[in-house]
Amino acid sequence: MENTSILPGWRAVLAVVAHPDDESFGLGAVLSTFAGAGSLVDVLCLTRGEASTLHGVEGDLSLIRESELRAAADALGVRRVTLLGHPDGGVAALQPTVLDGDVERALEQTRPDGLVVFDSTGISGHPDHVAATAAAVRAGDRHGLPVLAWALPDEICASLASEGYAGFLGRRSGEIDLALTVDRTAQQAAVDCHPSQAVPGSVLWRRLELQGDTEHLRWLRRP
């Protein structure tokens, strides 16, 4: 693992995620670091997150979460959000060609130098996360673009599991390529834009505490 505080010097970055809040809870510190370095950051979100079992705000979740996503993107310094309406929980059941078309259209709009995604495990194993990442990797293969993934070290996942937060899928140190020192100020502001999901007692808070000021990243497709 290379310990570094330097991200690739990409002019433009496209994040491909499954749900509103993935851009903040998972990728927030990475995206804000790119934006802070002058990169143009865009987000493609495949669902409106309407199937969430968390409901910290009353109302129609699909509408609430769109508003939350757009506010969070502003907090992170994101240039553009493209929000699609695929069924929350049903992304993995879609034909790969459907998702490939979605990513292709986003690439045409944003012309990124690289893509940022969740680890290929989906971090929590969520099939929507896995499918979103797979679509981004296929796009990287088609266009010769690097794909950088947010990952969790095994030791953090083990700590969460010992505290009753099972289900996170980590990586051994040899599978992690970058350890990035981050400032979580913008990420915290973005998380605060998601009151329907960032509810008290959520594992999110403990995970961020364990991560401290470090994000771990791995190449799914190298430059």
Side-chain angles (χ1 to χ4, degrees):
M1 178 173 62
E2 177 185 355
N3 289 296
T4 179
S5 59
I6 308 253
L7 282 171
W10 295 340
R11 179 196 60 82
V13 179
L14 175 64
V16 179
V17 299
H19 312 109
D21 78 22
D22 289 346
E23 84 300 328
S24 298
F25 295 5
L27 303 182
V30 177
L31 297 184
S32 68
T33 301
F34 268 119
S39 299
L40 301 173
V41 179
D42 297 299
V43 173
L44 171 63
C45 182
L46 300 177
T47 82
R48 302 178 71 92
E50 72 279 359
S52 173
T53 57
L54 295 175
H55 212 316
V57 176
E58 291 300 317
D60 182 336
L61 265 185
S62 67
L63 298 177
I64 290 168
R65 297 195 70 185
E66 176 179 4
S67 177
E68 291 177 343
L69 168 60
R70 297 192 185 282
D74 287 343
L76 294 173
V78 169
R79 173 178 62 165
R80 180 192 294 111
V81 171
T82 300
L83 178 61
L84 304 182
H86 293 309
D88 183 7
V91 175
L94 298 172
Q95 289 294 322
T97 52
V98 173
L99 299 180
D100 290 349
D102 295 332
V103 179
E104 281 297 319
R105 285 184 287 275
L107 291 176
E108 290 172 7
Q109 284 187 320
T110 62
R111 302 293 179 184
D113 300 309
L115 298 104
V116 177
V117 295
F118 277 35
D119 196 1
S120 54
T121 62
I123 298 290
S124 63
H126 195 307
D128 284 0
H129 295 169
V130 173
T133 293
V137 172
R138 291 194 300 272
D141 289 340
R142 289 193 301 273
H143 294 276
L145 291 171
V147 182
L148 188 60
W150 169 59
L152 287 178
D154 276 343
E155 55 267 28
I156 287 180
C157 297
S159 294
L160 290 170
S162 72
E163 296 173 17
Y165 301 113
F168 288 93
L169 302 173
R171 293 289 180 180
R172 300 186 307 274
S173 61
E175 297 177 291
I176 291 172
D177 298 305
L178 302 173
L180 178 71
T181 301
V182 295
D183 178 342
R184 294 197 185 276
T185 303
Q187 182 182 29
Q188 182 62 62
V191 167
D192 290 344
C193 293
H194 286 282
S196 76
Q197 304 301 300
V199 298
S202 167
V203 64
L204 163 70
W205 306 110
R206 180 57 177 148
R207 172 172 60 74
L208 288 174
E209 185 178 25
L210 289 170
Q211 288 179 263
D213 66 353
T214 305
E215 288 289 359
H216 296 85
L217 304 168
R218 59 191 304 262
W219 290 109
L220 301 185
R221 192 177 191 285
R222 289 186 176 273

